[in-house]
Amino acid sequence: MAIKKIGILTSGGDSPGMNACVVSVARIANHYGMPLVGIKRGYNGLIEMNDHDIETFTESELLDIADLPGTYLRTARCKPFYDPEVRKQAAKNLNDNDFEALIVIGGDGSFNGAMLLADLGIPCVCIPGTIDNDLGYTEKTLGYDTAVNVSTNAVRSIRATSRSHDRPHIVQVMGRRSGDIALKTAMATGAELLIVPEREWSIEDTAERFINLIKRGNNRATLIIGEHCWHQMKPFDWISVLRENGIAVHDDEEMDVDKLAKVLKYLCKAEIRATTVGYTQRGATPSSSDCSFAFATAEEAVNLIRSGRSNVAIGQKHGSVYNLPIEDALNIRHKFNHASFELINKL
Ligand code: F6P
């Protein structure tokens, strides 16, 4: 099928490999004689579609951005897109500018936007781009492998200094409501303790685990903690523990990883420290695994558009790229590996 013009945008949190994916789509689309046009700032660019929101790539530009972390097209979390009138305007802009298909690289919120746009007659194909690996229909999302490599390297560096000082350490990693980055990092580094947003946990149990490890001679254990695990923390009067040790805390203060390290320091009588890996995971140079996944999904996206398919999400199943309707993809809940989680915390 002869397609005149495809649009592509990145949406939601950026993830390593987004540029590699855009470049791969551009190269493959060009091979089939289909020009690819970048739309900047995620769905915001669709809504406004000013001249500066449209990027017609030159080959030299593509060569420059292929290996770059971040997303050259920029990205955004676009709340106005929830408004049906705003989506109608976006669809009109795409039609008025002769776009015949749209590729969206992003997470579940971005997929939702694409599904609603497809309902307005815009052929849409989605590629999973998020470090969180929280999309149930796919074994892999763009950026997850890189994010785990970054947190693994961070833990290795931290362990070197923990070993030198005989100090336990808490390392907080990203992942929103998904504990996958935390779990994979713990598996990769041999971390002794793990807390994830999927599981309830308590300060008392964690302190007891640290104390037992220290008794066994391990005074440099690592606790990996996924961000957004605080809602799963069992009630405990940690404010009194801090105050008894001379630390001023307001009654309405919320727990965070630095306070947790202090509370555990007093409960375990050990010099426990904390590090947050944070955005270094999102802005890292993409791994070869993420870049090759970017190529494989780009190839599938272009083939789907060439065969006239719309409203589809691309993912990986049993190691191979596959596709399914966006709605079906969004209905598959992400499964956390509870068995490995439990084993790590017993070792
Ligand atoms: O979804 C990717 C992610 O990095 C999450 O791991 C994190 O919770 C969130 O984005 C942070 O989003 P923002 O940068 O918009 O605050």
Side-chain angles (χ1 to χ4, degrees), residues 77 130-132 174-176 227-228 279 282:
R77 303 190 194 278
T130 164
I131 62 166
D132 301 337
M174 274 194 163
R176 202 183 286 272
E227 58 171 10
H228 296 298
Y279 287 97
R282 238 165 66 179

Side-chain angles (χ1 to χ4, degrees), residues 232-253:
Q232 291 276 35
M233 187 179 84
K234 288 190 195 162
F236 176 72
D237 185 10
W238 54 271
I239 291 190
S240 295
V241 175
L242 291 180
R243 284 183 182 154
E244 279 157 19
N245 286 281
I247 295 180
V249 209
H250 298 297
D251 285 337
D252 54 359
E253 248 177 76

Side-chain angles (χ1 to χ4, degrees), residues 2 8 10 29 70 89 219 227:
I8 190 163
T10 54
Q89 182 60 48
N219 41 19
E227 58 171 10

